[in-house]
Amino acid sequence: QLPTGLYKKVLVILHDSILPYMNEPTLMIDFLTVAYDIGGAISLLALNGLFILIHQHNLEYPDFYKKLYSLLDPSIYHVKYRARFFHLLDLFLSSSHLPAYLVAAFIKRLSRLALTAPPEALLMVIPFICNLFRRHPACRVLVHRPNGPEDMSEDPYIMEEEEPSKSRALESCLWEIRSLQNHYHPDVAKAAAVLNQSLSEIEDDISGLLELSAYELFDKEVKKKAADVPLEFEQIRGLFGKKNDIFAEHFALD
């Protein structure tokens, strides 16, 4: 048993400072699979090492996507390892051979969690979801289903289901993204409105959005040059708006 702090320090550097210099990287399989099962930030950090073992050393992890799906909780939009997690999630969901029900479950869960996410995370995850639709056209039924549920209680999607194949995501629709089209932040509302139109074939580059912070978003808004906003739509005729009042006789607005 390792302290949580030590687990994190090791896993942060494992994929680029330890595994490449080992004669037998497969010796780390047990350590990484145990770390992956711990949950929380430790599981997110273990993804890097597991990806290398799966991609380069033919590691078989039967329930990998089920576990990855279970990592999607409200904290993923707030943890400081968010950029690393979504970069790897993008890689794991890039294969066109993944079944539609699996990708639909990820899309639906990310959308549901997005309802409570901060704006800087939404500006990243909405293009991320759009990219998943581009890679997996069979999932576009989630957007184009006309008779979606009128409220959350009628949604067939089962959020609490741990098995993606049983979540009934393909039977649902993305009412969550439609809700985000009324978001208080105009950039988020604009990004969510993209799904109302036909998506282009070229994927959005989300690499620059992964590290987006609330400070950068605020700084960007502050530096915007606002257009002149008219405060009165009718020309005033007297001191208090009345043409022939007593104040207009003694005071002029020139």
Side-chain angles (χ1 to χ4, degrees):
Q1 294 293 327
L2 296 177
T4 303
L6 184 57
Y7 250 124
K8 291 180 180 179
K9 288 180 180 179
V10 172
L11 292 171
V12 163
I13 64 171
L14 184 69
H15 66 287
D16 58 359
S17 300
I18 298 177
L19 286 179
Y21 302 100
M22 294 181 67
N23 291 329
E24 294 186 44
T26 52
L27 292 174
M28 300 300 295
I29 289 176
D30 290 339
F31 172 74
L32 285 169
T33 51
V34 169
Y36 191 46
D37 289 334
I38 290 177
I42 293 179
S43 292
L44 299 184
L45 293 174
L47 276 174
N48 260 120
L50 276 177
F51 172 71
I52 291 176
L53 293 180
I54 291 172
H55 186 64
Q56 300 179 7
H57 301 281
N58 299 320
L59 168 65
E60 291 188 11
Y61 197 104
D63 294 328
F64 178 79
Y65 281 99
K66 178 182 176 182
K67 179 63 181 175
L68 185 64
Y69 182 72
S70 69
L71 291 180
L72 300 182
D73 60 33
S75 68
I76 60 168
Y77 291 126
H78 302 274
V79 293
K80 66 178 181 179
Y81 308 113
R82 183 187 72 198
R84 179 184 297 211
F85 173 71
F86 276 96
H87 171 68
L88 291 170
L89 185 62
D90 189 44
L91 287 175
F92 294 138
L93 296 177
S94 61
S95 173
S96 58
H97 299 292
L98 293 174
Y101 75 82
L102 179 67
V103 179
F106 276 91
I107 290 174
K108 186 65 179 176
R109 195 174 182 94
L110 286 170
S111 302
R112 181 68 59 86
L113 295 174
L115 292 174
T116 57
E120 64 271 15
L122 292 173
L123 290 175
M124 175 271 300
V125 77
I126 292 175
F128 182 89
I129 290 173
C130 290
N131 285 347
L132 291 180
F133 282 123
R134 291 183 175 100
R135 296 172 194 167
H136 308 276
C139 295
R140 293 186 183 182
V141 65
L142 294 175
V143 178
H144 301 298
R145 179 169 284 121
N147 300 320
E150 295 183 0
D151 57 58
M152 184 176 172
S153 61
E154 298 177 2
D155 193 341
Y157 173 68
I158 306 172
M159 181 72 173
E160 298 75 20
E161 178 58 56
E162 296 181 357
E163 182 63 55
S165 61
K166 299 178 182 178
S167 66
R168 300 177 64 191
L170 272 178
E171 302 173 30
S172 182
C173 69
L174 285 190
W175 59 267
E176 297 91 348
I177 302 297
R178 187 174 294 275
S179 299
L180 291 177
Q181 292 173 4
N182 299 312
H183 197 272
Y184 69 87
H185 197 291
D187 289 347
V188 174
K190 183 179 179 181
V194 170
L195 284 175
N196 290 341
Q197 307 162 3
S198 57
L199 294 174
S200 63
E201 296 296 326
I202 302 174
E203 291 190 10
D204 295 325
D205 182 14
I206 64 168
S207 57
L209 302 172
L210 293 176
E211 300 279 1
L212 188 64
S213 66
Y215 175 80
E216 291 172 336
L217 202 60
F218 180 79
D219 194 50
K220 179 183 174 183
E221 290 296 320
V222 169
K223 292 180 178 178
K224 275 185 178 179
K225 292 184 178 180
D228 293 333
V229 179
L231 300 179
E232 288 284 352
F233 59 90
E234 291 183 2
Q235 186 175 0
I236 192 165
R237 298 182 178 181
L239 188 61
F240 291 104
K242 296 180 181 179
K243 184 177 181 180
N244 298 318
D245 61 359
I246 189 171
F247 296 102
E249 297 177 11
H250 302 283
F251 298 96
L253 296 176
D254 295 337

